[in-house]
Amino acid sequence: MLSRVANNLIWLDRYMERGSGILNLLKVNFSANQDSPELFPWTPIIKNFTTSDNKFYTEDAIECIEFMVFSYENSNSIINIVTKARENARSVQEHISRELWLCVNNYYLYLTNRDLPKRLREDDPIQFLEDLRNYHLIFNGTADITQERGASYYFMNVGKYLERVIQISDFTAIKLVEIGKTSDNLEQSFYWKNLLLSIGGYQLYLKTHKSTFNEDHVIRMVFQDKLFPRSVYYCVNKLNRHINQLIDSGELEKNNIEFLLGKLESTIKYTTIENINKQGLQNFINDIKTDIRNISLTINAVYFSQNN
């Protein structure tokens, strides 16, 4: 497979995964902000998903959602993310299913409808965001049931799980900043609950622990749970499997990627909560992000430099 095609497939899923995560974060923060605006402001989200020269600032919820969804000035707005995903999908139409292309294209046409911003201001913002997020769920479901299991599918999943690890790390880091500002246990539990809601783990947490929010339990679930599809360990494990499938199929050569992924997977799996607390959760997150960045760079260096 040409490097250009593989790169487009990776970024197709990276963009769609990023959009899904941002929409869920916006939805959860909107609900929390309505009850406790002092605890759940919009500034940290805007700051995290915009460039350093961004001048946008407001605590008006609708204006923030509008900026994060429709602003062409924000590279991480949903409309920009979906536009990029569509461009990648269009360039590799022969490598993805027709149904998958239609999913992305229909989503783009829906987002660019001139009447859509008006609906945000007139209707329920939660339902508005949920309707957008449904396009991402449909995309994932369509990819799973229509995409043949081959190089294209594996490269797409590499993109998805790379992006998911980065998002989980970023979402947790955002909450850690807020948690560090208070010593009130009740307020801290609100932040942990908000994090779990943002990554879709709240219901599973309650089923598993049936108790108040315990920091160690949350950290273990978010980073080390083997069955939670949005835990860092689960994502790295899946990433490892798809990389190995690409190696077995001859799309990737055996190289340092296997070592880096195996090392990261083992580190996450066997690091104890005590060791995480000792080194600091923020440092633990930074180490994970550094390893993921190195893995991504290694894929680019090994694959994309050899298959142009």
Side-chain angles (χ1 to χ4, degrees):
M1 180 179 289
L2 292 174
S3 63
R4 172 184 57 80
V5 174
N7 192 49
N8 288 337
L9 290 166
I10 287 174
W11 278 101
L12 166 60
D13 261 56
R14 285 198 68 166
Y15 285 131
M16 292 301 287
E17 183 67 24
R18 186 179 303 175
S20 177
I22 290 174
L23 286 169
N24 204 46
L25 184 65
L26 293 175
K27 186 182 74 169
V28 171
N29 200 73
F30 178 83
S31 296
N33 178 265
Q34 299 304 296
D35 294 331
S36 305
E38 72 285 356
L39 296 181
F40 300 100
W42 289 98
T43 301
I45 295 175
I46 300 297
K47 183 178 180 180
N48 190 78
F49 291 103
T50 54
T51 56
S52 57
D53 60 349
N54 168 59
K55 304 299 182 183
F56 179 86
Y57 173 78
T58 180
E59 280 299 326
D60 182 274
I62 301 301
E63 289 181 7
C64 287
I65 293 173
E66 189 171 39
F67 175 77
M68 289 300 300
V69 174
F70 294 114
S71 174
Y72 286 100
E73 304 299 319
N74 176 13
S75 60
N76 277 319
S77 68
I78 301 301
I79 198 163
N80 278 331
I81 286 173
V82 174
T83 298
K84 293 172 188 174
R86 180 176 179 264
E87 290 170 355
N88 281 284
R90 182 171 56 185
S91 66
V92 294
Q93 283 190 61
E94 66 274 21
H95 295 275
I96 62 175
S97 67
R98 173 173 168 76
E99 293 87 352
L100 199 60
W101 158 248
L102 290 175
C103 275
V104 179
N105 193 50
N106 289 339
Y107 187 17
Y108 171 80
L109 295 175
Y110 178 77
L111 267 177
T112 53
N113 187 311
R114 292 181 179 179
D115 294 329
L116 194 59
K118 181 180 177 182
R119 186 188 155 201
L120 168 61
R121 294 187 170 275
E122 295 181 351
D123 296 345
D124 178 15
I126 295 291
Q127 188 59 52
F128 172 84
L129 293 169
E130 189 63 29
D131 289 346
L132 293 184
R133 188 166 174 269
N134 282 339
Y135 277 95
H136 293 267
L137 297 176
I138 292 171
F139 172 86
N140 287 332
T142 302
D144 190 56
I145 64 175
T146 67
Q147 190 66 35
E148 63 180 275
R149 268 44 175 178
S152 298
Y153 179 80
Y154 302 143
F155 275 119
M156 289 166 63
N157 276 277
V158 167
K160 176 168 69 177
Y161 289 112
L162 276 173
E163 187 66 32
R164 191 173 292 181
V165 170
I166 294 170
Q167 275 206 345
I168 295 167
S169 301
D170 283 345
F171 288 7
T172 307
I174 291 173
K175 297 307 171 189
L176 281 179
V177 172
E178 304 301 325
I179 289 170
K181 294 178 181 178
T182 179
S183 58
D184 186 286
N185 291 333
L186 182 59
E187 287 188 7
Q188 290 182 349
S189 70
F190 289 158
Y191 290 125
W192 288 121
K193 175 183 177 181
N194 190 267
L195 171 63
L196 291 171
L197 287 168
S198 298
I199 64 174
Y202 178 63
Q203 185 178 17
L204 178 60
Y205 181 90
L206 293 183
K207 286 181 178 179
T208 305
H209 298 289
K210 299 181 177 63
S211 63
T212 57
F213 290 95
N214 177 280
E215 180 176 331
D216 290 349
H217 291 163
V218 175
I219 293 172
R220 188 176 290 110
M221 178 177 167
V222 172
F223 288 92
Q224 296 181 310
D225 196 287
K226 297 179 181 179
L227 301 179
F228 175 42
R230 292 189 176 274
S231 77
V232 172
Y233 175 79
Y234 182 95
C235 294
V236 172
N237 178 265
K238 283 286 190 179
L239 185 58
N240 200 356
R241 290 174 60 184
H242 287 298
I243 290 291
N244 278 298
Q245 285 166 323
L246 286 167
I247 292 173
D248 292 342
S249 65
E251 289 292 339
L252 284 176
E253 295 181 3
K254 285 197 172 186
N255 51 58
N256 202 37
I257 301 176
E258 285 182 301
F259 170 77
L260 292 174
L261 277 168
K263 177 175 173 291
L264 177 57
E265 187 175 344
S266 296
T267 298
I268 296 169
K269 181 178 181 180
Y270 295 112
T271 298
T272 64
I273 293 296
E274 289 74 22
N275 285 336
I276 293 175
N277 290 332
K278 185 177 180 180
Q279 73 176 101
L281 182 55
Q282 185 62 67
N283 292 329
F284 183 64
I285 292 172
N286 290 339
D287 288 345
I288 290 173
K289 292 179 71 173
T290 298
D291 287 342
I292 284 294
R293 189 180 302 111
N294 290 337
I295 289 166
S296 181
L297 290 173
T298 302
I299 293 172
N300 288 335
V302 173
Y303 184 82
F304 298 127
S305 64
Q306 296 177 356
N307 293 276
N308 289 310

